[in-house]
Amino acid sequence: MDITQMGEMQIKGIKDGLLATLGEGDWSELSFGLIEHIKARAGFFQGAKLTIDVGEHAVHASELSTLRDRLSDHGVMLWAVLSNSPITENATKLLGMATKISKKESSVLDRKEKSTPVGEDAILVERTLRSGVVINFRGHVTIVGDINPGAEVIAAGNIVVWGKIRGVVHAGVEGNEHAIICAMDMNPSQLRITDVVAVSPEKRGKVQPEIARIKDGKVVVEVWNSSHVRGK
Amino acid sequence: MSASVSTITSGKGGVGKTTTTANLAVALAGMGKKVVCIDGDIGLRNLDVVLGLENRIVYDLVDVIEGRCRLRQAMIRDKRMPELYLIPAAQTRDKSAVSPSDMVRLCDELREEMDWILIDSPAGIERGFRNAIAAADSVLVVTNPEVSAVRDADRIIGLIEAEEKGPAKIILNRVNQNLVKRGDMLDVPDVLELLAVELIGIVPEDEAVTVSTNRGQPVVLDSHSKAGIAFSNIARRMNGEDVPFVNMDDKSGLFDRLSRMLRTGGD
């Protein structure tokens, strides 16, 4: 494995290309340092797929997109940004880049994900997900807003939407058959719980809050009624 | 004087970005504004044809950026409007000939002497799109009342928000009242409900647009064309005028529902 080091920045080869771990310091200096580093080894980096790990840095979408443009000027494709900062993670998703890389390759991710048991963690997303946005989370996902057609939400736990579902929702992705999906207005292009797939019926009835779960190996969608909810 | 930079984009191709840019530019110039429009579609230029200025091109956008000519030399003055200019795209290069920071520099140079800078974006979400919105103060998203166009508009609105250029405004182009009435076309409220951003114009489908595009005479110059009136209303709204939406359907219905939506839906 090729490892180069400069200051606190580390660049190593991983399965999905190259991983650059930026150390501590000012964002503009770090991104400048990265570009300089790449310029100096243009041959090595040409055409590379790059992931950067920014640690705790809160990087805004405009800063990330600037870096992405500058990297692409040097023939490097920035496709994923790993971060512990929700701001950075959000910006990465908005720009349509990955926030995770395959598990075995990243010690950062392992550490983060071991700290919480699968399915017990939860996030709250307070905006409408437009086409092209993917939320992938190993826990429960609550969305205050809509999931538009072309957007996807994938969760190990439940998916709760205070709004409309029009895109793809996949709950219980790691095999939790008790996972539920509920929404104020449920009309997804596709709905999956574990590996059971369902699509919305052509004709729609009245729009009302509904809940989807697996019953006898099939996805069943019922009108929301508090008595349906499993007691713990 | 400091110009306002407005980018016209769509995601999907063929929804009428270039026609919209040309018509808004002519309409704004007709209101006495100094306007320059920039064709951002490097390698597939069109705006010059729609404006009827194709045979006057000597220098283009890439020539300016690469320093082969001065900015003024690449600005083609319109034959009808003395205060309307076009900076054409290069036809023999591709999107990578220009970077987002080049566009910001170019627009900063133009801002001093202009009122409006309109940038015609290429279709897609790649480099050309990012170039086109890099300098924008506001973004207009053109879409058609079709599921695929609206889906792409939704994606592009998300990307515009991500680049911190939002909120975008919507121009709904090629609305065919007969199809809407028969229930065979998406209705204006349907589109706005999904996209959830401000509407700045509805342009009816109009054969005059095709004819005028082929002749290089933007349809706003035709005072009888419904599409032309719709485009000049958009230009007036861009200048801050409060212009009511045209009632395309004489028997109302759409208009009533739309105005209800606008009253309740604005945030």
Side-chain angles (χ1 to χ4, degrees):
Chain A
M1 195 169 280
D2 181 283
I3 300 184
T4 31
Q5 198 160 354
M6 55 160 287
E8 281 193 73
M9 186 188 303
Q10 267 194 25
I11 295 180
K12 63 176 184 177
I14 56 171
K15 201 176 78 192
D16 296 319
L18 294 170
L19 171 69
T21 309
L22 307 183
E24 296 298 308
D26 178 55
W27 172 253
S28 58
E29 279 171 26
L30 287 175
S31 55
F32 179 77
L34 178 63
I35 299 284
E36 287 302 305
H37 189 74
I38 287 171
K39 266 194 213 163
R41 293 165 189 76
F44 174 69
F45 282 99
Q46 193 60 46
K49 257 177 91 182
L50 182 71
T51 301
I52 56 172
D53 182 352
V54 301
E56 304 289 340
H57 277 285
V59 187
H60 292 277
S62 55
E63 295 169 322
L64 265 189
S65 76
T66 308
L67 178 65
R68 182 173 64 179
D69 289 337
R70 298 196 45 204
L71 287 169
S72 81
D73 289 340
H74 295 287
V76 176
M77 184 182 86
L78 182 62
W79 75 281
V81 179
L82 309 179
S83 163
N84 295 328
S85 152
I87 293 173
T88 312
E89 204 159 295
N90 216 1
T92 309
K93 283 176 189 158
L94 281 171
L95 291 173
M97 294 188 283
T99 53
K100 288 180 181 185
I101 54 177
S102 53
K103 252 184 304 171
K104 279 173 204 148
E105 308 291 340
S106 166
S107 56
V108 187
L109 221 60
D110 283 346
R111 202 170 56 230
K112 210 165 91 186
E113 296 198 342
K114 265 178 202 154
S115 61
T116 42
V118 173
E120 291 304 315
D121 214 349
I123 52 166
L124 175 66
V125 180
E126 285 177 286
R127 59 186 170 86
T128 287
L129 308 183
R130 295 191 182 271
S131 176
V133 175
V134 180
I135 302 264
N136 187 341
F137 186 70
R138 295 185 89 191
H140 307 297
V141 177
T142 304
I143 291 166
V144 181
D146 300 336
I147 303 173
N148 281 359
E152 268 180 62
V153 176
I154 301 159
N158 303 332
I159 299 172
V160 178
V161 183
W162 190 263
K164 308 184 191 86
I165 302 183
R166 295 286 181 268
V168 173
V169 281
H170 190 173
V173 72
E174 290 174 12
N176 178 5
E177 291 188 352
H178 299 295
I180 57 158
I181 296 172
C182 47
M184 306 292 284
D185 176 355
M186 176 113 59
N187 189 17
S189 40
Q190 199 185 83
L191 180 152
R192 296 182 219 163
I193 298 177
T194 66
D195 50 6
V196 186
V197 182
V199 292
S200 297
E202 290 275 311
K203 284 228 168 113
R204 293 205 66 198
K206 198 172 124 208
V207 172
Q208 50 197 335
E210 288 176 311
I211 175 166
R213 60 160 69 95
I214 293 187
K215 272 187 184 168
D216 306 323
K218 277 188 195 151
V219 174
V220 178
V221 180
E222 291 164 314
V223 176
W224 172 264
N225 178 332
S226 50
S227 64
H228 286 163
V229 182
R230 264 175 297 127
K232 268 238 158 166
Chain B
M1 201 187 292
S2 183
S4 189
V5 182
S6 202
T7 297
I8 292 94
T9 188
S10 69
K12 187 176 180 294
V15 297
K17 283 179 296 297
T18 303
T19 307
T20 301
T21 309
N23 279 290
L24 293 181
V26 170
L28 287 166
M31 292 160 69
K33 303 288 175 186
K34 289 184 157 186
V35 185
V36 57
C37 37
I38 304 176
D39 190 346
D41 203 351
I42 297 159
L44 291 167
R45 74 177 178 210
N46 274 164
L47 188 54
D48 52 326
V49 180
V50 177
L51 282 168
L53 299 173
E54 189 182 12
N55 55 10
R56 302 187 180 201
I57 297 175
V58 179
Y59 294 109
D60 58 46
L61 179 64
V62 176
D63 291 324
V64 177
I65 282 163
E66 295 181 350
R68 279 189 295 276
C69 70
R70 281 175 293 111
L71 178 55
R72 272 277 160 193
Q73 291 177 291
M75 290 169 67
I76 302 168
R77 188 193 289 265
D78 186 77
K79 49 193 174 188
R80 300 151 291 230
M81 308 268 177
E83 297 289 11
L84 171 62
Y85 299 89
L86 165 72
I87 301 180
Q91 184 69 332
T92 52
R93 302 289 292 275
D94 65 39
K95 278 25 172 202
S96 63
V98 177
S99 76
S101 50
D102 291 333
M103 290 300 284
V104 173
R105 270 198 302 278
L106 181 80
C107 289
D108 284 345
E109 210 178 323
L110 289 165
R111 269 178 211 268
E112 290 305 307
E113 34 186 326
M114 292 290 155
D115 294 310
W116 282 98
I117 302 170
L118 303 185
I119 302 174
D120 183 19
S121 161
I125 56 174
E126 294 83 17
R127 180 68 172 262
F129 161 72
R130 295 212 303 277
N131 285 343
I133 65 160
D137 301 318
S138 61
V139 184
L140 305 179
V141 174
V142 182
T143 189
N144 296 152
E146 288 163 19
V147 176
S148 56
V150 172
R151 180 80 56 98
D152 288 358
D154 188 46
R155 171 99 162 106
I156 222 91
I157 292 167
L159 293 171
I160 291 161
E161 284 167 1
E163 302 269 353
E164 292 164 12
K165 298 287 183 187
K169 291 180 183 170
I170 288 287
I171 295 174
L172 194 57
N173 194 19
R174 273 192 220 139
V175 178
N176 182 325
Q177 274 313 300
N178 293 330
L179 287 180
V180 171
K181 261 187 270 177
R182 294 209 313 257
D184 291 333
M185 184 177 257
L186 290 176
D187 207 347
V188 178
D190 296 340
V191 176
L192 292 186
E193 189 199 353
L194 179 79
L195 298 179
V197 288
E198 193 189 328
L199 179 75
I200 193 170
I202 305 170
V203 183
E205 182 151 58
D206 186 346
E207 284 179 7
V209 174
T210 314
V211 177
S212 72
T213 302
N214 290 339
R215 290 199 184 132
Q217 286 278 2
V219 74
V220 273
L221 297 166
D222 173 0
S223 56
H224 301 295
S225 153
K226 280 188 172 185
I229 296 165
F231 281 124
S232 71
N233 284 344
I234 298 171
R236 287 165 65 194
R237 290 185 195 110
M238 287 168 79
N239 268 318
E241 270 184 64
D242 187 12
V243 187
F245 282 82
V246 189
N247 187 351
M248 290 183 293
D249 180 3
D250 294 332
K251 292 188 212 86
S252 110
L254 164 81
F255 184 68
D256 284 349
R257 262 180 297 159
L258 177 62
S259 58
R260 261 206 308 280
M261 256 203 91
L262 290 173
R263 268 202 301 277
T264 55
D267 60 341

